[in-house]
Amino acid sequence: MTAFLIGNFMLNGIVGILLYLLVMKKKKIFADRYGMVVAMCGSGVLSLHLAMLTVFLIPDYFIIQVLFTLGIGAFIGKKFGSLMKYQSLLSGLFHGIIGGIMGMMLGIVILNPSLCGLPSASLDSLQDNVLIFTNFGTVLVIMTGSLLYYSLKV
């Protein structure tokens, strides 16, 4: 299970790096509004999923989870937001940090559903839920990256 999560983390990191490099290569052809959209979408979705995977990989250390997810979200938001002007930098940073916090909260609730008043899950259904949400997040990151890449062509 841990190898699957680490592989998934690396796959999503590679998708994020490739998306950043593609957008950076063509940043001269789009305006400020498009730069903000790229900063919001790219940093929000990518940091949400990477933060959720971080919670699954480091389940017992809350302070490390918080610092790592905030760092991931801020780094991704800063990188995507720095493609254009300062308003897109602020937007990317904000959405990256918020995506990291939301991903951390989602991961914690998936691991312990009783936090939200949901019935407690057995260990088998817990691992099933981790697999389902991990695969769904990966599909979401790939689809968002594909849509942003497609929007560069239009």
Side-chain angles (χ1 to χ4, degrees), residues 22 24 61 125:
L22 288 171
M24 188 176 76
Y61 302 102
S125 65

Side-chain angles (χ1 to χ4, degrees), residues 1-145:
M1 181 72 151
T2 305
F4 172 74
L5 292 173
I6 291 172
N8 210 327
F9 190 88
M10 290 172 42
L11 173 70
N12 287 295
I14 290 170
V15 167
I17 290 169
L18 288 176
L19 181 63
Y20 174 75
L21 292 174
L22 288 171
V23 171
M24 188 176 76
K25 190 184 298 183
K26 297 187 177 191
K27 72 179 183 178
K28 299 288 183 192
I29 64 172
F30 52 82
D32 295 341
R33 287 186 183 182
Y34 183 74
M36 279 189 71
V37 169
V38 168
M40 288 187 296
C41 293
S43 63
V45 171
L46 191 62
S47 63
L48 183 136
H49 188 58
L50 290 178
M52 185 177 67
L53 287 173
T54 301
V55 170
F56 294 155
L57 287 170
I58 314 170
D60 295 332
Y61 302 102
F62 183 71
I63 298 299
I64 294 173
Q65 287 175 355
V66 170
L67 294 176
F68 195 68
T69 56
L70 287 177
I72 285 175
F75 179 75
I76 292 171
K78 180 183 168 285
K79 285 308 229 181
F80 276 99
S82 67
L83 292 171
M84 294 304 289
K85 296 188 178 180
Y86 289 115
Q87 65 264 25
S88 64
L89 176 68
L90 180 64
S91 177
L93 188 67
F94 176 77
H95 284 285
I97 291 173
I98 294 298
I101 292 171
M102 287 190 324
M104 187 179 67
M105 288 188 296
L106 180 63
I108 289 171
V109 168
I110 291 169
L111 291 178
N112 187 4
S114 63
L115 289 173
C116 293
L118 299 170
S120 296
S122 66
L123 186 60
D124 293 334
S125 65
L126 180 70
Q127 288 185 351
D128 290 343
N129 289 341
V130 167
L131 288 174
I132 289 169
F133 278 96
T134 300
N135 290 331
F136 175 73
T138 301
V139 169
L140 186 66
V141 166
I142 291 172
M143 285 184 61
T144 303

